[in-house]
Amino acid sequence: MHEILIEEKVLARNNELASANRAALKSRGIFSINMVSSPGAGKTSLIEALAPFLKPRLNTVVIEGDLQTDLDSQRVLRSGIPAKQITTGKACHLDAHAVGHALDWVFGNPGVRLLIIENVGNMVCPAEYDLGEDMMATILSTAEGDDKPLKYPAIFSASDILVINKTDLAPFTDFDIKRARANALKINPGLAIFETSCRTGAGIEALSDYLAKLSCAGRP
């Protein structure tokens, strides 16, 4: 008798649902980004900072993943971007099934061109779960370690974009931005890397330009 790993069966089903999500989004010309990080790296703050630059250029919506509360989705809503909360309870990541259930809400917003999925703060599990997104963006803050790409290679390997956030704090920490960039590129030489500060606004417009171009290029 052959053993079947439950994890393999779960991931196989997740991948089926992710493919369906991806097809549904693509058929409507919606570009999607799965935003991942450890807790507190500044994902929600980054979306808030991007909002003034993205809103005039393309209709954007956010699916917000958290263990508990809708505090972050309320913040996104106050920035002027529609947001849908997914509360995962004890689950430390979003999955394709949960995102799929939120797609009717996404499609109910007229003219959406960019979907940002803010995943639960976690550097491990989200790397394994395809949500149907076009690309993954990892947020790494200067309040963390510049060796994280080496310690959590799976999430950096799966990502297309690295945002080094909270650069205004770098002078007050031991975080070396050059070393973080080098470590990330050792894991994934194809990463597009941006340096941002939500407090000062540094790098935000450049990142918004990049996301807008990707969204426009991804339309059918």
Side-chain angles (χ1 to χ4, degrees):
M1 181 180 294
H2 297 287
E3 292 184 1
I4 299 175
L5 293 177
I6 294 176
E7 181 182 3
E8 290 180 356
K9 294 177 68 176
V10 169
L11 289 176
R13 177 56 178 161
N14 181 83
N15 291 341
E16 290 177 8
L17 295 172
S19 294
N21 291 348
R22 186 172 290 108
L25 289 164
K26 185 177 180 179
S27 70
R28 291 165 173 83
I30 300 173
F31 191 83
S32 56
I33 297 171
N34 181 10
M35 189 177 285
V36 299
S37 78
S38 59
K43 297 189 299 298
T44 308
S45 296
L46 191 61
I47 294 170
E48 291 175 310
L50 287 167
F53 297 97
L54 291 176
K55 285 192 298 180
R57 302 179 67 173
L58 70 164
N59 287 355
T60 302
V61 298
V62 173
I63 292 175
E64 183 69 47
D66 278 305
L67 294 175
Q68 296 291 339
T69 81
D70 64 351
L71 294 174
D72 286 350
S73 62
Q74 291 299 323
R75 287 174 55 186
V76 174
L77 285 167
R78 287 194 293 271
S79 77
I81 293 181
K84 173 73 170 178
Q85 182 72 47
I86 297 177
T87 303
T88 63
K90 294 182 179 181
C92 58
H93 59 88
L94 292 174
D95 59 24
H97 180 262
V99 171
H101 274 286
L103 290 187
D104 283 343
W105 170 83
V106 172
F107 302 148
N109 288 271
V112 174
R113 286 293 174 260
L114 175 62
L115 166 63
I116 299 174
I117 304 167
E118 183 180 343
N119 218 315
V120 178
N122 188 326
M123 295 290 280
V124 181
C125 300
E128 301 295 329
Y129 282 81
D130 183 6
L131 305 180
E133 74 273 14
D134 289 299
M135 63 169 44
M136 182 180 288
T138 292
I139 317 303
L140 175 66
S141 81
T142 62
E144 304 172 69
D146 51 39
D147 59 351
K148 270 201 168 176
L150 305 179
K151 296 168 69 175
Y152 300 90
I155 201 79
F156 290 89
S157 295
S159 293
D160 303 275
I161 301 172
L162 168 62
V163 179
I164 301 176
N165 195 30
K166 303 186 181 181
T167 54
D168 55 300
L169 295 181
F172 309 102
T173 72
D174 294 327
F175 190 98
D176 186 317
I177 293 178
K178 289 184 179 179
R179 186 159 58 228
R181 293 176 68 105
N183 287 338
L185 291 173
K186 285 179 185 177
I187 301 300
N188 184 351
L191 275 173
I193 302 178
F194 294 84
E195 298 175 17
T196 60
S197 167
C198 299
R199 185 175 294 275
T200 69
I204 298 297
E205 188 170 6
L207 178 58
S208 70
D209 287 344
Y210 187 77
L211 298 182
K213 288 175 183 177
L214 286 175
S215 179
C216 291
R219 295 182 195 178

